[in-house]
């Protein structure tokens, strides 16, 4: 695959970023694409490694060496066909996926891995530019109807696959635009929303119906779902985690998703009354994941006075930890483009109190340094370090603590069983709940996870729905070994 000696001849090259002082003035994407010549070289680095562990690293089972080889040969249209055969939305994953495939790349054992994610992005953008991505409506209809609840990556993938099988699909979205967390949970500077609109236009042209501002179980009676032959629940894991900390209700303590959603809506011309702004404020972001990073980037664009980040876990090593050897996902420090725009990062720190003035407005955070006591066979124990108490000036605290699971409304009203982690109970591989014609996929079934896993679950759930409705399915699937069948 690629050029036999390519990995020896060419070094890895990634997209550059526009200067910080320029990009923090706007909410547009700010990557500087590589030239076609350079991208071709990157495809040429793919080794003839015999067993491509990138396949197992990718939840979709993308045929990575195959599309890398097509890029190496300049066969971009073939590369697009191969990529889309396993991934409905590479324009999403090519921008937002943490690329577990790259961490499983065989070349990564000795050198920098293949830049798979960037190659993927370039393939799909070239395909849109050349007009190769066209609606593919089914030739015949089965007469079966399916409701998909939720229009995030899992819901959109399930909808497209089911539509291709000939079923009539309606997607319900409770927000005012399609995309789920892709729409309002991901800042525009990471993925411009026209990218979603471009793909949704293809799906509509294929015959999928979309209904927005429809909150099933709230302003849309669950009884109406009985009008459909099958239902796929893809509502995500949206119950936000909070802190059992004194002062948590202070004016100035805000959930990260509220902060990010408001800003994205403002970018697209909506008026938000009392929008939460970081302008001229001392901002502390609690939580060190991707959402925390997004809050840092947004705060800097607001013109925050200072931005500080707290993480309760230890600082990861700069290189792959021996505890997570290749080809596993590594325990390793991640520094995002938002981190590079300006932030003071702190690890092993716990918030003890949100301090307010007499009017209930946040003025400071009290913290203590901590350490983790590890005892074999027991849960890690958090130990506070005496004498490390500190008070930090803070006007805005953003809680980027992740999600505890899906909301319970639909499960309660439909009578769907939930597992010990509060996820909608649906057997992996079958995706079927205790109600035979209702299926669940994505974060709603597996808990908070990656976009690439959501797409994979949507595709696999669609196949199981098709089997339920028709007794068989020609939709592609991954078998238990992770291999692709039916392509």
């Amino acid at each position: 695959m690629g050029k036999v000696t390519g990995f020896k001849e060419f070094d890895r090259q990634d997209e550059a970023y526009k200067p910080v002082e320029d990009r923090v003035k706007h909410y547009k994407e700010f990557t500087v694409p590589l030239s076609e010549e350079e991208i071709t070289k990157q495809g040429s680095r793919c080794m003839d490694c015999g067993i491509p562990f990138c396949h197992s690293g990718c939840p979709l089972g993308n045929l990575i060496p195959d599309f890398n080889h097509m890029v190496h040969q300049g066969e971009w249209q073939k590369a697009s066909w191969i990529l889309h055969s396993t991934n409905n939305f590479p324009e999403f994953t090519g921008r937002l996926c943490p690329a577990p495939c790259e961490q499983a790349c065989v070349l990564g054992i000795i050198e920098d891995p293949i830049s798979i994610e960037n190659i993927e992005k370039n393939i799909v953008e070239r395909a849109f530019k050349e007009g190769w991505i066209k609606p593919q409506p089914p030739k015949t209809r089965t007469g079966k109807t399916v409701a998909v609840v939720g229009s995030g990556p899992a819901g959109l993938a399930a909808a497209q696959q089911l539509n291709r099988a000939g079923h009539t699909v309606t997607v319900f979205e409770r927000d005012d635009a399609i995309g789920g967390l892709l729409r309002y949970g991901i800042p525009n500077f990471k993925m411009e929303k026209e990218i979603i609109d471009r793909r949704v236009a293809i799906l509509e042209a294929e015959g999928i119906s979309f209904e927005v501002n429809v909150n099933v179980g709230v302003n849309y009676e669950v009884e109406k779902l009985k009008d459909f032959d099958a239902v796929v629940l893809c509502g995500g894991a949206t119950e936000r985690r909070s802190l059992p900390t004194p002062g948590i209700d202070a004016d100035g303590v805000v959930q990260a998703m509220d902060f990010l959603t408001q800003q994205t809506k403002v970018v697209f011309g909506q008026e938000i009354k009392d929008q939460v702004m970081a302008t001229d404020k001392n901002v502390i972001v609690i939580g060190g994941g991707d959402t925390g990073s997004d809050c840092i980037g947004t705060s800097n664009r607001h013109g925050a006075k200072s931005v500080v980040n707290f993480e309760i876990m230890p600082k990861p090593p700069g290189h792959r930890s021996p505890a997570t050897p290749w080809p596993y996902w590594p325990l390793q420090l991640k520094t995002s483009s938002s981190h590079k725009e300006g932030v003071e990062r702190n690890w092993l720190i716990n918030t003890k109190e949100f301090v307010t003035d007499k009017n209930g407005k946040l003025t400071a955070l009290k913290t203590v340094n901590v350490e983790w006591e590890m005892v074999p066979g027991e849960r890690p124990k958090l130990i506070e370090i005496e004498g490390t108490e500190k008070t930090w000036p803070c006007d805005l605290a953003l809680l980027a603590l992740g999600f505890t699971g899906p909301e319970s409304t639909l499960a309660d009203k439909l009578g769907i069983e939930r597992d010990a982690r509060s996820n909608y109970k649906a057997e992996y591989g079958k995706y079927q709940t205790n109600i035979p014609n209702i299926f669940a996929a994505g974060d709603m079934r597996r808990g908070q996870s990656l976009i690439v896993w959501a797409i994979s679950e949507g595709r696999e759930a669609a196949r199981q729905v098709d089997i339920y409705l028709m007794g068989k399915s020609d939709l592609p699937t991954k078998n238990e070994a992770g291999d692709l069948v039916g392509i």
Side-chain angles (χ1 to χ4, degrees), residues 17 293 332-340 345:
Y17 296 139
S293 169
Q332 185 174 337
L333 179 65
K334 179 181 178 181
T335 301
S336 72
S337 59
S338 290
H339 291 137
K340 295 175 182 178
R345 302 174 75 181

Side-chain angles (χ1 to χ4, degrees), residues 177 242 459:
S242 188
R459 288 171 62 89

Side-chain angles (χ1 to χ4, degrees), residues 215-231:
N215 194 350
V216 178
V218 179
N219 64 1
Y220 183 98
E221 295 295 332
V222 294
E223 289 295 314
K224 293 182 180 180
L225 294 178
K226 293 181 179 179
D227 295 338
F228 296 88
D229 296 301
V231 177

Side-chain angles (χ1 to χ4, degrees), residues 27 184-193 260 264 294 298:
Y27 292 89
Y184 292 127
I186 303 293
N188 206 60
F189 57 78
K190 286 180 69 175
M191 187 178 74
E192 294 175 14
K193 305 316 169 190
L260 297 174
T264 300
D294 295 342
T298 302

